[in-house]
Amino acid sequence: MTRPVRPPRPPLNRRLDGFGTTIFAEMSSLAAATGAVNLGQGFPDTDGPEEVREAAVRAIRDGRGNQYPPGPGIPELRSAVADHQRRFYGLSYDPDTEVLVTTGATEAIAAALLGLVEPGDEVVALEPYYDSYAACVAMAGGIRVPVTLRPRTGPDGDRFVLDLDELRSAVTDRTRLILLNTPHNPTGTVLTRAELTAIAELAVERDLLVVTDEVYEHLVYDGAEHLPIAALPGMRERTVTISSAGKTYSFTGWKVGWTTAPPELTAAVRTAKQYLTFVSGGPLQHAVAEALRLPDAFFADLRADLLAKRNLLVEGLERTGFGVFRPQGTYFVTADIRPLGESDGAAFCRALPERCGVVAVPNAVFYDHRDQGDPFVRFAFCKRTEVLQDAVKRLSAL
Ligand SMILES: *Cc1c(COP(=O)(O)O)cnc(C)c1O
């Protein structure tokens, strides 16, 4: 008796087919192997404020948060998040029913999609997108529907813009939610009030939820204003707003994030979140509660520091001959390699460490329509000034 031979089944389930290791692992090992300056991955090379670090140490010493914190997050942090939304945007949320602390924005995105999306629901997202969006939509059994941000030349320079007609035609009867990201990684675009108003009108008209990733809310330049879509008419009740301490306070390793949303949406996100990590980062939650209450000068200094770094890198890239999309937000610059006579960003990035000792990331990895991203590469400028100066000097060898 022989059992029928079944074809070997690959271990990875079909939902995650195609989500192999990220480009960042490949590029970072290339950086290590060649001694190149790594402007690929987006984390700061200096840590955040001393007083916030001390607050974390104090919390550990004083035994605050060393055991499982409450599921929705410690009350001090939930109040601080609510106060932050009121202080900066005039939005009011109940810390008990409308604020949820998560393991970074990454878990908030996962829990929002797992908690809100039925298998077969369509999720409209702005392409290029942060790499976890596609994977989380897939894990939730949803169908991602990309709307491509298009490069446009305008009076204020080149910028990636949202085509509102494309967005409107992407919405169908199966659309459950629009997944936004502003300020936008990797393009540096900050959605304008007019764009957000149009998105809001569409969401209200088609009765859609909006999940909005605002982790770069404090990193805006040139007078650009970050406007949470939740502040627009009809939106508070249908919006899950996501942010995190990682980018604002330069503690990307802490993984303390949060959502603000009306009670029913918060409960849906919490239901998924409690079975992902349940809770995390107890003492760090105490420290972030203090960070959110830092004076306005902290936020102004952060912006001024990053603006100077942005200008240094943008000007260096322009001198080298790249086409540069001067970002109005985030700590990334997207550059066009076509003026350098190149067209394949992935090949360009693989060769760059060898050619001049710098690492960048090909934007194509953030696209479903990869050809749309082929000519673009992303550099991070959240690095020490001397590192950026070194990178610019190296790039000038191109
Ligand atoms: C960095 C980043 C995140 C992840 O935030 P964490 O708090 O580190 O989990 C989410 N979204 C975008 C757009 C990011 O750039």
Side-chain angles (χ1 to χ4, degrees), residues 103-106 109 130 133 181 185 213 215-216 244 246-247 252 255-256 332:
T103 306
T106 305
I109 293 159
Y130 185 64
Y133 296 178
N181 170 215
N185 171 10
D213 176 346
V215 298
Y216 296 102
S244 150
K247 310 294 161 56
T252 58
K255 284 285 180 177
V256 177
F332 300 108

